[in-house]
Amino acid sequence: MFIVRVNITLKNVDNSILLGYNLLVGFSFSIVRASIMFVIAYLSKMSARENDRLNNLMLSSTIITCIFPLSIFDVGFLMSIGCMLSIVLFSDDITRGFIKIFGKRSEKLSSSISVSICAQIGVFPVITYYFSAISPYSVICNLILLPVLNALFVLVLTIGMLLLILPFTGYILYGVKYIFKAIDLFNVIVEQLPGSQIILYGSTFIFLLCPVYFLMSRYVIMPKKWIAVIMSCIICFCCKRTDTQMNTKATRRRMISCYAQITND
Protein backbone atom coordinates (compact mmCIF):
# COMPACT_ATOMS: atom_id res chain seq x y z
CA MET A 1 0.00 0.00 0.00
CA PHE A 2 2.86 2.37 0.85
CA ILE A 3 4.56 1.71 -2.52
CA VAL A 4 1.30 2.37 -4.35
CA ARG A 5 0.84 5.67 -2.53
CA VAL A 6 4.43 6.71 -3.31
CA ASN A 7 3.91 5.89 -7.00
CA ILE A 8 0.70 7.90 -7.10
CA THR A 9 2.42 10.83 -5.39
CA LEU A 10 5.34 10.76 -7.83
CA LYS A 11 2.87 10.55 -10.69
CA ASN A 12 1.05 13.65 -9.45
CA VAL A 13 4.37 15.50 -9.07
CA ASP A 14 5.44 14.58 -12.61
CA ASN A 15 2.09 15.66 -14.03
CA SER A 16 2.22 18.94 -12.11
CA ILE A 17 5.73 19.73 -13.37
CA LEU A 18 4.71 18.80 -16.91
CA LEU A 19 1.60 20.98 -16.78
CA GLY A 20 3.53 23.84 -15.20
CA TYR A 21 6.16 23.78 -17.93
CA ASN A 22 3.49 23.76 -20.65
CA LEU A 23 1.90 26.79 -19.02
CA LEU A 24 5.30 28.46 -18.83
CA VAL A 25 5.99 28.11 -22.57
CA GLY A 26 2.41 28.77 -23.68
CA PHE A 27 1.59 25.21 -24.81
CA SER A 28 3.81 25.37 -27.90
CA PHE A 29 3.30 22.47 -30.30
CA SER A 30 6.79 21.07 -29.79
CA ILE A 31 6.40 20.95 -26.00
CA VAL A 32 2.91 19.47 -26.24
CA ARG A 33 4.31 16.79 -28.56
CA ALA A 34 7.01 15.93 -26.00
CA SER A 35 4.44 15.91 -23.21
CA ILE A 36 2.17 13.51 -25.08
CA MET A 37 5.13 11.21 -25.70
CA PHE A 38 5.97 11.33 -21.99
CA VAL A 39 2.40 10.40 -21.03
CA ILE A 40 2.33 7.53 -23.53
CA ALA A 41 5.67 6.22 -22.26
CA TYR A 42 4.43 6.46 -18.67
CA LEU A 43 1.21 4.60 -19.50
CA SER A 44 3.14 1.85 -21.30
CA LYS A 45 5.36 1.46 -18.24
CA MET A 46 2.35 1.31 -15.90
CA SER A 47 0.69 -1.33 -18.09
CA ALA A 48 3.94 -3.33 -18.44
CA ARG A 49 4.02 -2.94 -22.21
CA GLU A 50 6.93 -2.18 -24.50
CA ASN A 51 7.55 1.50 -25.15
CA ASP A 52 8.19 2.07 -28.85
CA ARG A 53 9.52 5.61 -29.34
CA LEU A 54 8.78 5.67 -33.06
CA ASN A 55 5.12 4.76 -32.50
CA ASN A 56 4.93 7.33 -29.69
CA LEU A 57 6.32 10.03 -31.98
CA MET A 58 3.91 9.22 -34.79
CA LEU A 59 0.92 9.03 -32.44
CA SER A 60 1.71 12.32 -30.68
CA SER A 61 2.30 14.08 -34.00
CA THR A 62 -0.96 12.69 -35.40
CA ILE A 63 -2.94 13.84 -32.37
CA ILE A 64 -1.58 17.39 -32.63
CA THR A 65 -2.07 17.68 -36.40
CA CYS A 66 -5.63 16.34 -36.15
CA ILE A 67 -6.56 18.88 -33.47
CA PHE A 68 -4.47 21.75 -34.89
CA PRO A 69 -4.05 21.19 -38.66
CA LEU A 70 -2.08 24.43 -39.08
CA SER A 71 0.64 23.06 -36.80
CA ILE A 72 2.30 21.53 -39.87
CA PHE A 73 3.41 25.09 -40.76
CA ASP A 74 4.98 25.71 -37.35
CA VAL A 75 8.78 25.67 -37.69
CA GLY A 76 9.41 24.64 -34.09
CA PHE A 77 6.97 21.75 -34.35
CA LEU A 78 8.55 20.47 -37.58
CA MET A 79 12.05 20.78 -36.12
CA SER A 80 11.05 18.88 -32.98
CA ILE A 81 9.54 16.05 -35.05
CA GLY A 82 12.56 15.87 -37.36
CA CYS A 83 14.99 15.97 -34.46
CA MET A 84 13.19 13.25 -32.49
CA LEU A 85 12.70 11.10 -35.60
CA SER A 86 16.42 11.16 -36.37
CA ILE A 87 17.32 10.39 -32.74
CA VAL A 88 14.95 7.40 -32.70
CA LEU A 89 16.24 6.08 -36.03
CA PHE A 90 20.00 6.55 -35.70
CA SER A 91 21.05 7.44 -32.16
CA ASP A 92 21.56 3.89 -30.82
CA ASP A 93 23.56 2.76 -33.86
CA ILE A 94 25.80 5.85 -33.85
CA THR A 95 26.37 5.50 -30.09
CA ARG A 96 27.45 1.87 -30.50
CA GLY A 97 29.79 2.93 -33.28
CA PHE A 98 31.48 5.54 -31.09
CA ILE A 99 31.75 3.06 -28.20
CA LYS A 100 33.53 0.58 -30.48
CA ILE A 101 36.00 3.31 -31.44
CA PHE A 102 36.60 4.97 -28.05
CA GLY A 103 35.71 2.15 -25.65
CA LYS A 104 32.99 1.59 -23.05
CA ARG A 105 34.29 4.35 -20.78
CA SER A 106 33.15 6.92 -23.35
CA GLU A 107 29.53 5.72 -23.30
CA LYS A 108 28.05 8.99 -21.97
CA LEU A 109 30.16 11.15 -24.26
CA SER A 110 29.35 8.91 -27.21
CA SER A 111 25.64 9.17 -26.44
CA SER A 112 25.84 12.98 -26.23
CA ILE A 113 27.73 13.22 -29.53
CA SER A 114 25.32 10.85 -31.29
CA VAL A 115 22.27 12.79 -30.07
CA SER A 116 23.83 16.05 -31.25
CA ILE A 117 24.63 14.60 -34.68
CA CYS A 118 21.17 13.04 -35.00
CA ALA A 119 19.53 16.34 -34.06
CA GLN A 120 21.37 18.12 -36.87
CA ILE A 121 20.47 15.38 -39.34
CA GLY A 122 16.81 15.56 -38.34
CA VAL A 123 16.42 19.33 -38.59
CA PHE A 124 18.43 19.60 -41.82
CA PRO A 125 15.37 19.56 -44.16
CA VAL A 126 13.51 22.15 -42.07
CA ILE A 127 16.52 24.45 -41.70
CA THR A 128 17.40 24.39 -45.39
CA TYR A 129 13.77 25.02 -46.37
CA TYR A 130 12.99 27.86 -43.95
CA PHE A 131 16.41 29.44 -43.31
CA SER A 132 18.48 28.39 -46.36
CA ALA A 133 21.63 27.97 -44.26
CA ILE A 134 23.29 25.47 -41.93
CA SER A 135 26.10 25.86 -39.41
CA PRO A 136 28.94 23.30 -39.44
CA TYR A 137 29.81 24.26 -35.85
CA SER A 138 26.38 23.36 -34.46
CA VAL A 139 27.35 19.85 -33.31
CA ILE A 140 30.29 21.13 -31.24
CA CYS A 141 28.29 24.06 -29.87
CA ASN A 142 25.50 21.71 -28.78
CA LEU A 143 27.97 19.56 -26.87
CA ILE A 144 29.21 22.66 -25.03
CA LEU A 145 25.98 24.54 -24.44
CA LEU A 146 23.33 21.85 -23.94
CA PRO A 147 24.58 20.67 -20.50
CA VAL A 148 24.69 24.30 -19.37
CA LEU A 149 21.22 25.05 -20.72
CA ASN A 150 19.77 21.91 -19.15
CA ALA A 151 21.17 22.90 -15.74
CA LEU A 152 19.85 26.45 -16.18
CA PHE A 153 16.43 25.11 -17.14
CA VAL A 154 16.21 23.03 -13.96
CA LEU A 155 17.45 25.95 -11.88
CA VAL A 156 15.02 28.48 -13.38
CA LEU A 157 12.06 26.10 -13.12
CA THR A 158 12.90 25.28 -9.48
CA ILE A 159 13.32 28.93 -8.50
CA GLY A 160 10.13 29.80 -10.34
CA MET A 161 8.20 27.44 -8.07
CA LEU A 162 10.08 28.58 -4.94
CA LEU A 163 9.17 32.20 -5.66
CA LEU A 164 5.62 31.45 -4.53
CA ILE A 165 6.78 30.78 -0.97
CA LEU A 166 10.29 32.30 -0.87
CA PRO A 167 10.27 35.62 -2.78
CA PHE A 168 13.91 36.40 -2.00
CA THR A 169 15.04 33.52 -4.27
CA GLY A 170 14.27 35.82 -7.18
CA TYR A 171 17.70 37.40 -6.71
CA ILE A 172 19.22 34.17 -8.01
CA LEU A 173 17.40 34.70 -11.30
CA TYR A 174 19.08 38.07 -11.57
CA GLY A 175 22.45 36.31 -11.56
CA VAL A 176 21.26 33.72 -14.09
CA LYS A 177 20.64 36.59 -16.49
CA TYR A 178 24.38 37.11 -16.90
CA ILE A 179 24.89 33.44 -17.73
CA PHE A 180 22.40 33.77 -20.57
CA LYS A 181 24.23 36.90 -21.75
CA ALA A 182 27.48 34.91 -21.78
CA ILE A 183 25.77 32.23 -23.89
CA ASP A 184 24.57 34.91 -26.31
CA LEU A 185 28.11 36.29 -26.53
CA PHE A 186 29.42 32.79 -27.25
CA ASN A 187 26.90 32.43 -30.09
CA VAL A 188 27.93 35.80 -31.53
CA ILE A 189 31.61 34.79 -31.47
CA VAL A 190 30.85 31.48 -33.20
CA GLU A 191 28.76 33.31 -35.79
CA GLN A 192 31.77 35.47 -36.70
CA LEU A 193 34.05 32.48 -37.32
CA PRO A 194 34.94 31.70 -40.95
CA GLY A 195 32.61 29.17 -42.53
CA SER A 196 30.04 29.54 -39.78
CA GLN A 197 27.21 29.37 -42.31
CA ILE A 198 26.80 27.28 -45.42
CA ILE A 199 24.10 28.57 -47.76
CA LEU A 200 21.75 25.83 -48.97
CA TYR A 201 18.45 26.51 -50.70
CA GLY A 202 15.87 23.80 -50.08
CA SER A 203 12.48 23.37 -51.72
CA THR A 204 9.50 21.40 -50.51
CA PHE A 205 11.05 18.29 -52.03
CA ILE A 206 13.79 18.44 -49.39
CA PHE A 207 11.30 16.82 -47.01
CA LEU A 208 11.57 13.64 -49.09
CA LEU A 209 14.71 13.04 -47.04
CA CYS A 210 12.51 11.96 -44.11
CA PRO A 211 11.35 8.69 -45.75
CA VAL A 212 14.97 8.21 -46.92
CA TYR A 213 16.04 8.47 -43.27
CA PHE A 214 13.54 5.78 -42.38
CA LEU A 215 14.77 3.60 -45.22
CA MET A 216 18.35 3.93 -43.93
CA SER A 217 17.40 2.99 -40.35
CA ARG A 218 17.37 -0.38 -38.65
CA TYR A 219 13.57 -0.46 -38.88
CA VAL A 220 13.80 -1.45 -42.56
CA ILE A 221 15.36 -4.85 -43.22
CA MET A 222 15.79 -5.68 -46.89
CA PRO A 223 18.49 -7.14 -49.15
CA LYS A 224 20.75 -4.60 -50.87
CA LYS A 225 19.20 -1.74 -48.96
CA TRP A 226 22.04 0.58 -49.96
CA ILE A 227 20.82 0.44 -53.59
CA ALA A 228 17.36 1.62 -52.51
CA VAL A 229 18.93 4.38 -50.42
CA ILE A 230 21.05 5.62 -53.33
CA MET A 231 18.08 5.56 -55.70
CA SER A 232 15.98 7.49 -53.19
CA CYS A 233 18.71 10.13 -52.84
CA ILE A 234 18.92 10.45 -56.63
CA ILE A 235 15.15 10.93 -56.82
CA CYS A 236 15.31 13.63 -54.12
CA PHE A 237 18.11 15.40 -56.00
CA CYS A 238 16.20 15.24 -59.31
CA CYS A 239 13.05 16.60 -57.67
CA LYS A 240 15.11 19.38 -56.10
CA ARG A 241 16.62 20.32 -59.46
CA THR A 242 13.21 20.28 -61.15
CA ASP A 243 11.66 22.44 -58.45
CA THR A 244 14.59 24.88 -58.61
CA GLN A 245 14.25 25.20 -62.37
CA MET A 246 10.50 25.73 -62.08
CA ASN A 247 11.01 28.44 -59.46
CA THR A 248 13.67 30.09 -61.64
CA LYS A 249 11.37 30.13 -64.67
CA ALA A 250 8.48 31.47 -62.59
CA THR A 251 10.73 34.20 -61.20
CA ARG A 252 11.84 35.17 -64.67
CA ARG A 253 8.23 35.35 -65.88
CA ARG A 254 7.32 37.60 -62.95
CA MET A 255 10.31 39.85 -63.67
CA ILE A 256 9.38 40.08 -67.37
CA SER A 257 5.75 40.92 -66.55
CA CYS A 258 6.85 43.56 -64.03
CA TYR A 259 9.25 45.06 -66.56
CA ALA A 260 6.52 45.10 -69.23
CA GLN A 261 4.11 46.77 -66.81
CA ILE A 262 6.68 49.42 -65.89
CA THR A 263 7.45 50.04 -69.56
CA ASN A 264 3.76 50.45 -70.41
CA ASP A 265 3.29 52.87 -67.54
Side-chain angles (χ1 to χ4, degrees), residues 10-26:
L10 292 176
K11 178 182 177 182
N12 293 333
V13 171
D14 292 339
N15 292 336
S16 300
I17 294 175
L18 197 63
L19 179 61
Y21 184 63
N22 276 273
L23 288 171
L24 185 65
V25 300

Side-chain angles (χ1 to χ4, degrees), residues 6 44-45 59 77 116-117 126 129 131 138 145 150 154 156 174 183 185 194 218 247 252 257:
V6 170
S44 65
K45 183 178 179 181
L59 178 58
F77 181 57
S116 182
I117 293 174
V126 183
Y129 180 75
F131 304 106
S138 55
L145 295 180
N150 288 335
V154 174
V156 170
Y174 187 79
I183 293 174
L185 179 62
R218 67 181 186 277
N247 289 336
R252 289 176 179 174
S257 64

